Amino acid sequence: KYAIAAVLVAALAWQCRSLAPWLELHGNNTQSYGVAYVFALALLAMHPYDRRLAEIRVLKPLAFFGLMCYSLYLIHWPVVKFIAHAMQHFGFDSTPVTLLVTLPICFVASVALTWPFHVFVERRFLSSPKPVAPKPRALPELA
């Protein structure tokens, strides 16, 4: 754990050797890697609290999305692309409309289509716990 943290801190320090890339308005590799290192360090620091965080009632909906996250990853792009393109085609392309109308529609549609995909496709490929082997029966003794 400490070795991983040391490597992440060293990598973050390397990304901070020049502050100029951090101040650029457009995203770049320095910003991306730096944020990734900070996020990895945060996950490492929060690991001892995983169980307690998972039991917080307000965070339970996140577990639902975590359960089907790969399906959501696969499904959301075509759904969002189609809806966003249709909204733009019909003239609903201002920033407020995008944030207040298009984004919620995309979210609801993605989740609504993800759940059936998860149930009927992804679940077939999930690793299930290994069944416990039954205890061998004693053979009857021969006389």
Side-chain angles (χ1 to χ4, degrees):
K1 176 179 171 179
Y2 295 111
I4 292 170
V7 169
L8 290 169
V9 168
L12 182 59
W14 179 256
Q15 291 298 321
C16 292
R17 68 190 184 278
S18 173
L19 293 180
W22 287 96
L23 302 175
E24 291 180 13
L25 294 179
H26 298 288
N28 57 53
N29 286 343
T30 298
Q31 294 168 349
S32 296
Y33 293 147
V35 169
Y37 298 142
V38 169
F39 185 69
L41 285 166
L43 289 177
L44 197 59
M46 292 187 314
H47 179 67
Y49 309 104
D50 281 351
R51 186 167 310 268
R52 280 188 263 167
L53 286 170
E55 292 171 358
I56 296 173
R57 176 174 268 144
V58 176
L59 298 179
K60 291 289 184 191
L62 289 178
F64 171 72
F65 292 111
L67 175 69
M68 60 178 191
C69 66
Y70 187 66
S71 294
L72 187 58
Y73 166 74
L74 292 174
I75 293 295
H76 87 279
W77 187 83
V79 171
V80 169
K81 190 73 172 168
F82 175 79
I83 293 171
H85 181 73
M87 295 293 280
Q88 185 178 21
H89 178 74
F90 291 111
F92 300 104
D93 58 356
S94 69
T95 301
V97 170
T98 299
L99 291 173
L100 299 173
V101 178
T102 305
L103 190 62
I105 291 172
C106 289
F107 175 78
V108 170
S110 293
V111 172
L113 292 172
T114 293
W115 183 247
F117 183 86
H118 173 75
V119 170
F120 296 114
V121 178
E122 184 182 359
R123 276 190 183 171
R124 295 173 187 240
F125 300 99
L126 292 176
S127 299
S128 58
K130 301 212 185 279
V132 177
K135 292 182 182 178
R137 292 188 212 168
L139 295 174
E141 290 187 31
L142 297 174

